[in-house]
C-alpha cells in the first residue's frame, strides 16, 4: 500500500481549527521573549490548578506541579503514579532568534544616539533592517533592585528600527554577508541634543529620558538582559486565511501546543512538558537543555515519593521515559524547493511532521531515533487518527541543524523530533499553517496519553 499525504483541511472542522488558532495567536503575540513566555505559561498553568513544586504538600502520586528555572525555563508535570514507571514528555524551547543589546549599548554617532546589539541565534541579518522593533527585558540597578523594560509593544509606544542604506547609494555589488554586518545592527535611540554645548548631547538626553522613565543609569545596562524583537502582532496570511504569520513561532508554537496537550490529556501514566531557553545558541547555559535543572526537579519528586537512592531512581525514570522533542521543521517553499528532497520534505497543511533525525553531513550531531521507538510513535499516531508526514532537514549535504533531542538521548530516554513545518523559519515573520497547529496539538495529546 502506498503512503499518501493527507490534507488536514479535508479532515478537521474549520471551526475547530480557527478556535485553536485564535487562542494561539493571542499567546504568541504576548510571549515575545523566553521570560515573557514563562510568565504566560505559568499564568495558564496556575489558572488550571497547577501549583509550584516548592509549595506542593499533597499526595506525591497525584500532583499537578510546575517549576521555574531563573524565569527563563519552566517544567510542568501531572504525576499519577510511581515516577519510576517512566514518564511521557513533550519538550520544546521558548527562546527565539533576536538581537540583544550589548552590555554597554548606548553610543552617539553623527548626532544620532544608537543602541548597539549582538545577534542571538541564526538570523539572516538583512531581514532585521527597516522593520519596526520593540524591546523587552530586565535591568538590575546598582543597588540590586530590578526594573522591567518594555517599549514598542503598545500602540502608543515609540518603536525602534535599524535603517537600511538607500538603493541610490548602494550600488556596490557586494555579497549579502558583506553588506549586512553584525556591527551595523544598531537601533536608533534618539536625535534631540540636551544642549548645544555638551559633547554627545543626544546620548545624554536619551540617558536623561531613560532615568526619568525607569530610574536607571548607563552602568545599569551592564547588569541587564534587553532583547530586541519585531514590533508587529501576529496576523492571518492568505486570501483563505489558512496561515499564521508571527515572530517566534520556532519554537513557541510547539511549547503552546504541548502545554494545551498537557492540560487536556487523560494520562494513564505520569506526563510532563519542559520548555527550555538557549536552544538557538546550542543549549549551553544553565537555563538550557544541557543544564541539570529538570533532573533536579524529577529527583525532588522521586524523594517526595520515598525513593531511597534518588540518583539511581532517576536513571530508571529516564530509561523508561519517552520524549517527544517538539520543534519546528522547514516546509517546502516553491521558489526554493531545490534545497529539499521533495520526497522526504513536509508540506504546509499536511499534518505534524515526524523527523527521525536532523544534524548535518553524515548524520553528525543528532539523535537518530530508534526504529523501535519510531514504530511505537507511528502506531499511536495512526491509532489516534492523527495526520502526520515525514520530514528531513533539506537535501543530504545541503546544510543542517539540530534540536534538543540529542541531549535527552544522552540522558538515556527514547526521543524523536516532531512538530509543524514552517516557512521563513528564523525570520521576523515566520509562517505556520493553522491546520498543522491543531494537528500538532492532536499529536502531542495522543502521545502523552498513549505512548
Ligand atoms: Mn527550534
Ligand atoms: Mn530555531
Amino acid at each position: 500500500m502506498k503512503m499518501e499525504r493527507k490534507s488536514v483541511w479535508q479532515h478537521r472542522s474549520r471551526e475547530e481549527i480557527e478556535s485553536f488558532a485564535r487562542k494561539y495567536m493571542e499567546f504568541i503575540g504576548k510571549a515575545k521573549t523566553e521570560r515573557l513566555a514563562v510568565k504566560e505559561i505559568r499564568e495558564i498553568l496556575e489558572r488550571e490548578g497547577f501549583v509550584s513544586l516548592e509549595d506542593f504538600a499533597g499526595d506525591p502520586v497525584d500532583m499537578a506541579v510546575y517549576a521555574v528555572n531563573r524565569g527563563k525555563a519552566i517544567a510542568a508535570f501531572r504525576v499519577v503514579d510511581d515516577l519510576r514507571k517512566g514518564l511521557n514528555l513533550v519538550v520544546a524551547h521558548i527562546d527565539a532568534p533576536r538581537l540583544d543589546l550589548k552590555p554597554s549599548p548606548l553610543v552617539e554617532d553623527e548626532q544620532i544616539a544608537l543602541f548597539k546589539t549582538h545577534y542571538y541565534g541564526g538570523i539572516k541579518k538583512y531581514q532585521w533592517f527597516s522593520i519596526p522593533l520593540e524591546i523587552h527585558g530586565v535591568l538590575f540597578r546598582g543597588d540590586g533592585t530590578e526594573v522591567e523594560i518594555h517599549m514598542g509593544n503598545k500602540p502608543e509606544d515609540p518603536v525602534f528600527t535599524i535603517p537600511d542604506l538607500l538603493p541610490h547609494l548602494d550600488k556596490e555589488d557586494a555579497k549579502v554577508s558583506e553588506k549586512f554586518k553584525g556591527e551595523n545592527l544598531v537601533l536608533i535611540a534618539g536625535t534631540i541634543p540636551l544642549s548645544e554645548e555638551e559633547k554627545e548631547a543626544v546620548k545624554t538626553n536619551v540617558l536623561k529620558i531613560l532615568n526619568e522613565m525607569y530610574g536607571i543609569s548607563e552602568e545599569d545596562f551592564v547588569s541587564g538582559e534587553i532583547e530586541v524583537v519585531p514590533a508587529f502582532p501576529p496576523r492571518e496570511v492568505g486570501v483563505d486565511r489558512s496561515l499564521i504569520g508571527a515572530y517566534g513561532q520556532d519554537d513557541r508554537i510547539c511549547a503552546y501546543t504541548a502545554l494545551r496537550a498537557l492540560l487536556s490529556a487523560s494520562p494513564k501514566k505520569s506526563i510532563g512538558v519542559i520548555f527550555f531557553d538557549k536552544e538557538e545558541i546550542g543549549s549551553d547555559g544553565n537555563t538550557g537543555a544541557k543544564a541539570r535543572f529538570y533532573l533536579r526537579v524529577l529527583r525532588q519528586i522521586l524523594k517526595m515519593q520515598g525513593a531511597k537512592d534518588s540518583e539511581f531512581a532517576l536513571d530508571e525514570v529516564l530509561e523508561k521515559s519517552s520524549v517527544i522533542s517538539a520543534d519546528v521543521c522547514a516546509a517546502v517553499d516553491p521558489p526554493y524547493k531545490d534545497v529539499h528532497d521533495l520526497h522526504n520534505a513536509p508540506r504546509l497543511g499536511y499534518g505534524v511532521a515526524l523527523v527521525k533525525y536532523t544534524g548535518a553531513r553524515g548524520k553528525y550531531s543528532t539523535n537518530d531515533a530508534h526504529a523501535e521507538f519510531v514504530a511505537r510513535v507511528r502506531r499511536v499516531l495512526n491509532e489516534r487518527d492523527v495526520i502526520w508526514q515525514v520530514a528531513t532537514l533539506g537535501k543530504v549535504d545541503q546544510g543542517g541543524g539540530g534540536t534538543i533531542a540529542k541531549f535527552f538521548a544522552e540522558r538515556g530516554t527514547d526521543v524523536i523530533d516532531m512538530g509543524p513545518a514552517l516557512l521563513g523559519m528564523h525570520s521576523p515573520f515566520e509562517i505556520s499553517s493553522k491546520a498543522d497547529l491543531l494537528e500538532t496539538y492532536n499529536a502531542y495529546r495522543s502521545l502523552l496519553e498513549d505512548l
Side-chain angles (χ1 to χ4, degrees):
M1 207 167 65
K2 276 207 298 194
M3 188 164 81
E4 307 277 4
R5 275 179 217 287
K6 269 167 85 175
S7 164
V8 175
W9 295 104
Q10 303 302 321
H11 294 85
R12 302 284 175 258
S13 85
R14 182 81 197 223
E15 205 186 312
E16 197 189 354
I17 290 173
E18 293 296 344
S19 93
F20 197 95
R22 266 195 301 278
K23 288 186 196 126
Y24 167 65
M25 287 171 77
E26 210 177 291
F27 169 83
I28 199 79
K30 288 191 227 161
K32 283 192 159 183
T33 67
E34 62 281 350
R35 285 178 193 267
L36 290 171
V38 165
K39 181 174 168 274
E40 292 298 318
I41 290 164
R42 182 185 195 149
E43 275 173 26
I44 294 170
L45 285 167
E46 285 182 351
R47 222 181 297 143
E48 297 288 329
F50 281 69
V51 296
S52 167
L53 182 59
E54 312 301 318
D55 303 331
F56 185 82
D59 181 355
V61 289
D62 179 18
M63 59 206 292
V65 291
Y66 71 84
V68 174
N69 184 8
R70 296 172 168 86
K72 299 198 265 186
I74 184 165
F77 300 99
R78 291 176 66 188
V79 178
V80 296
D81 207 343
D82 185 339
L83 215 56
R84 273 167 293 190
K85 291 182 180 166
L87 288 140
N88 288 344
L89 295 173
V90 182
V91 301
H93 66 93
I94 49 174
D95 63 320
R98 60 172 190 260
L99 310 177
D100 287 337
L101 292 198
K102 287 194 181 191
S104 180
L106 196 59
V107 294
E108 179 174 332
D109 195 359
E110 301 301 329
Q111 288 71 50
I112 297 182
L114 300 163
F115 282 125
K116 291 167 82 79
T117 72
H118 198 136
Y119 68 97
Y120 171 100
I123 64 165
K124 291 171 98 171
K125 297 181 189 90
Y126 70 84
Q127 296 176 339
W128 291 76
F129 287 78
S130 295
I131 60 168
L133 299 164
E134 62 189 54
I135 62 175
H136 297 280
V138 291
L139 288 182
F140 289 87
R141 302 185 189 93
D143 63 2
T145 53
E146 180 181 359
V147 55
E148 275 193 45
I149 300 210
H150 303 282
M151 212 188 282
N153 55 322
K154 295 201 193 82
E156 66 271 22
D157 281 358
V159 295
F160 299 88
T161 196
I162 304 164
D164 193 5
L165 184 59
L166 66 168
H168 315 65
L169 301 180
D170 197 7
K171 297 296 185 199
E172 197 193 340
D173 194 16
K175 280 203 284 189
V176 180
S177 59
E178 284 159 19
K179 281 196 186 201
F180 301 94
K181 292 198 167 74
E183 287 291 345
N184 293 354
L185 293 167
V186 290
L187 272 51
I188 293 182
T191 58
I192 305 176
L194 186 64
S195 68
E196 296 250 61
E197 294 81 47
E198 202 178 338
K199 209 171 133 259
E200 295 195 333
V202 179
K203 171 177 164 173
T204 310
N205 193 45
V206 167
L207 282 170
K208 183 172 166 274
I209 297 168
L210 286 170
N211 183 263
E212 284 160 9
M213 288 179 77
Y214 298 108
I216 54 172
S217 69
E218 187 174 13
E219 196 182 292
D220 294 335
F221 280 98
V222 175
S223 46
E225 285 179 352
I226 307 288
E227 305 180 9
V228 183
V229 298
F232 34 73
R235 298 294 297 266
E236 294 178 295
V237 175
V239 173
D240 61 7
R241 298 170 181 263
S242 56
L243 307 175
I244 297 166
Y247 165 71
Q249 299 203 70
D250 173 10
D251 184 31
R252 296 180 195 125
I253 190 170
C254 291
Y256 183 77
T257 44
L259 177 67
R260 291 281 303 271
L262 175 81
L263 298 175
S264 65
S266 310
K268 298 179 191 86
K269 63 187 204 184
S270 298
I271 62 175
V273 296
I274 313 173
F275 304 135
F276 295 100
D277 178 26
K278 301 278 184 266
E279 191 275 345
E280 297 293 358
I281 54 169
S283 296
D284 297 309
N286 61 9
T287 48
K290 286 187 196 170
R292 298 179 63 80
F293 158 71
Y294 72 94
L295 301 172
R296 198 269 297 155
V297 172
L298 290 174
R299 203 179 294 115
Q300 193 171 336
I301 297 171
L302 283 166
K303 268 192 174 160
M304 290 162 81
Q305 290 188 342
K308 294 275 179 313
D309 181 349
S310 64
E311 191 68 43
F312 177 71
L314 180 64
D315 286 345
E316 270 187 285
V317 171
L318 293 170
E319 273 180 22
K320 285 190 194 134
S321 291
S322 301
V323 179
I324 303 302
S325 166
D327 211 338
V328 299
C329 55
V332 175
D333 190 359
Y336 303 104
K337 63 180 163 201
D338 286 356
V339 301
H340 295 280
D341 162 17
L342 293 172
H343 189 68
N344 282 282
R347 308 302 201 272
L348 284 179
Y350 285 79
V352 69
L354 209 74
V355 187
K356 190 173 183 291
Y357 55 87
T358 58
R361 308 189 308 282
K363 295 192 176 180
Y364 282 83
S365 297
T366 187
N367 162 65
D368 193 350
H370 298 295
E372 291 87 338
F373 185 56
V374 182
R376 278 172 55 209
V377 167
R378 190 184 133 212
R379 195 169 66 236
V380 171
L381 295 177
N382 287 341
E383 278 170 6
R384 296 288 298 265
D385 197 28
V386 173
I387 299 170
W388 58 274
Q389 54 183 331
V390 163
T392 53
L393 184 53
K395 274 182 178 162
V396 176
D397 286 336
Q398 181 70 43
T403 66
I404 56 176
K406 61 183 175 184
F407 307 116
F408 280 84
E410 198 180 308
R411 309 283 196 201
T413 71
D414 270 314
V415 54
I416 187 169
D417 284 302
M418 190 186 298
L422 301 186
L423 291 180
M425 194 204 292
H426 282 209
S427 79
F429 197 60
E430 300 178 308
I431 306 297
S432 64
S433 160
K434 288 178 183 172
D436 296 336
L437 168 73
L438 177 67
E439 212 54 16
T440 299
Y441 158 75
N442 287 335
Y444 295 162
R445 193 192 49 195
S446 305
L447 292 162
L448 283 174
E449 289 177 348
D450 290 353
L451 254 183

